[in-house]
Amino acid sequence: MVNYGQLQYKLKVLELKPASSVSVLETDIEVDIERPDSVFDNEENQHVLVPLETGKVESGAVEEGKFRYYKFSVEEGVAEKVASGCVNIEVKIESDTSGSDTDIYVSRHPLVFPTQHRHEWSSHEMGSKVLILKPKDATLVSGLYSLGVYGFKGTAKFQLSVAIKDVIDSQRIDEQGSVSSAVNGDSVVCKNCKRHISSRTSVLHEAYCVRHNVICMHDGCGVVLRKEAAADHVHCSKCGQAFQQREMEKHMKVFHEPLNCPCGVVLEKEEMVKHQSSTCPFRLIVCRFCGDTVQAGGQPLDVRDRLRNMCEHESICGSRTAPCDSCGRSVMLKEMDIHAIAVHQKS
């Protein structure tokens, strides 16, 4: 069995050349892969990445508590536009809301299979939802992405798509909204909803507003609500976010239910996502020295390696030596850049 990140490949050796045994340590090996004659294992629980073409709709269904995974790629040309803010990567899912619900999780490789607390982007709104991917690092936009549709409740049928949308259209809408909401010189502030109203109609507006509208008194909210809808407007007791009453149960389960990390830490969702992407010793990284996808490990013992943002694996892996291309001396991999500057900069 060969482990690559979260993937497991079961390989059966059929033939060896030129001898009946081969050493795989520090050896260049030429490998030919044959197609399997039969399926050896039950693949029911095996995750599969279904290719998703940008701009096309993919239909599917997912059972409660399970994932359906897809993959899509972002080319260099599109990545430059995303980094400059001209376009957005938009993930859209339209799902059947009759007794079922879904969540979507997205990650960039090498994290191949995003989960509830190992991902980069997510959306938990009830029903159909749109997720805008905004990469934190503008230099890391292009490449492969994985998208997981999670069955939160019941068996949900859905239609999924990934599209590249211009930002100009949304900017125009914002501009029109700002123009229409501009404050006129003869306006007054309504005592009930605190909006600017023309002084000519202020008396009629306030009489109507007091009868039909009410302001949410939660600290920092101030949303104007219809009186009949005010009972459905609630705030989370832990984070203070506003939701409709029917959404509160899902919010509490997704964001505030304690999660157990394999390393032993117990955190809520948002803190768990940060933990598993930055400090968890079991998080997957691409080693800067060997290029393999491996577990990061804990903090390195060497203080200098911690200052260079190395993890435990990179600290150990970088301690291997290799001959310098210029002078032939054996230098540790993690010291090679310093050696090149200190010894060979003038030459």
Side-chain angles (χ1 to χ4, degrees), residues 6-291:
Q6 295 166 296
L7 298 175
Q8 291 183 337
Y9 297 96
K10 295 182 179 179
L11 304 179
K12 182 179 180 181
V13 180
L14 301 176
E15 185 182 8
L16 298 176
K17 291 181 180 179
S20 59
S21 62
V22 173
S23 171
V24 296
L25 300 176
E26 299 295 333
T27 305
D28 293 329
I29 300 178
E30 188 175 304
V31 181
D32 295 323
I33 305 294
E34 299 287 341
R35 293 190 62 178
D37 295 330
S38 61
V39 179
F40 297 102
D41 299 304
N42 182 12
E43 295 185 356
E44 190 174 312
N45 296 321
Q46 295 291 325
H47 292 318
V48 177
L49 289 172
V50 179
L52 191 62
E53 190 173 339
T54 304
K56 289 192 176 182
V57 178
E58 182 79 21
S59 299
V62 62
E63 298 178 9
E64 183 176 339
K66 294 187 177 181
F67 273 96
R68 284 290 301 275
Y69 285 106
Y70 299 84
K71 66 178 179 179
F72 63 93
S73 61
V74 177
E75 305 297 334
E76 283 288 348
V78 176
E80 293 176 0
K81 294 181 180 180
V82 173
S84 63
C86 297
V87 298
N88 282 331
I89 306 172
E90 181 180 288
V91 178
K92 184 178 181 180
I93 183 169
E94 296 181 356
S95 57
D96 182 12
T97 57
S98 57
S100 61
D101 194 18
T102 59
D103 294 331
I104 50 178
Y105 301 92
V106 183
S107 67
R108 188 175 180 273
H109 289 201
L111 182 53
V112 182
F113 295 114
T115 63
Q116 291 97 323
H117 43 82
R118 297 189 69 181
H119 58 267
E120 294 185 56
W121 304 273
S122 63
S123 179
H124 307 278
E125 298 174 7
M126 297 186 70
S128 300
K129 48 188 77 70
V130 175
L131 177 62
I132 305 296
L133 306 186
K134 295 183 178 180
K136 299 175 184 177
D137 190 341
T139 62
L140 298 176
V141 180
S142 62
L144 279 174
Y145 290 74
S146 291
L147 192 159
V149 180
Y150 177 72
F152 180 80
K153 182 181 179 181
T155 300
K157 295 181 180 179
F158 60 86
Q159 289 185 320
L160 182 67
S161 63
V162 176
I164 308 299
K165 295 291 185 73
D166 293 334
V167 182
I168 301 175
D169 296 332
S170 60
Q171 288 179 343
R172 288 175 180 172
I173 293 173
D174 291 340
E175 290 173 0
Q176 291 174 359
S178 61
V179 171
S180 62
S181 62
V183 179
N184 296 323
D186 63 342
S187 63
V188 295
V189 178
C190 173
K191 296 179 181 178
N192 187 54
C193 67
K194 310 302 180 184
R195 292 179 179 174
H196 289 270
I197 308 298
S198 173
S199 58
R200 291 173 297 177
T201 60
S202 61
V203 177
L204 291 174
H205 169 83
E206 284 191 9
Y208 180 87
C209 188
V210 170
R211 287 198 307 270
H212 296 89
N213 298 332
V214 64
I215 296 179
C216 176
M217 301 305 295
H218 188 275
D219 186 28
C221 183
V223 173
V224 180
L225 303 162
R226 301 286 289 182
K227 286 187 175 180
E228 58 269 21
D232 195 38
H233 177 82
V234 293
H235 286 265
C236 175
S237 59
K238 292 192 174 183
C239 64
Q241 291 189 50
F243 300 95
Q244 292 182 351
Q245 187 73 47
R246 62 187 179 88
E247 299 175 329
M248 184 56 67
E249 182 182 355
K250 180 178 181 178
H251 170 76
M252 294 299 292
K253 186 174 182 179
V254 171
F255 286 92
H256 300 300
E257 194 173 83
L259 301 171
N260 294 289
C261 182
C263 70
V265 174
V266 179
L267 298 168
E268 291 184 355
K269 177 187 177 294
E270 292 188 350
E271 293 299 321
M272 182 64 76
V273 171
K274 295 178 182 177
H275 167 73
Q276 293 205 344
S277 63
S278 59
T279 59
C280 179
F282 296 137
R283 72 187 186 277
L284 296 176
I285 63 161
V286 178
C287 176
R288 67 182 81 179
F289 301 114
C290 65

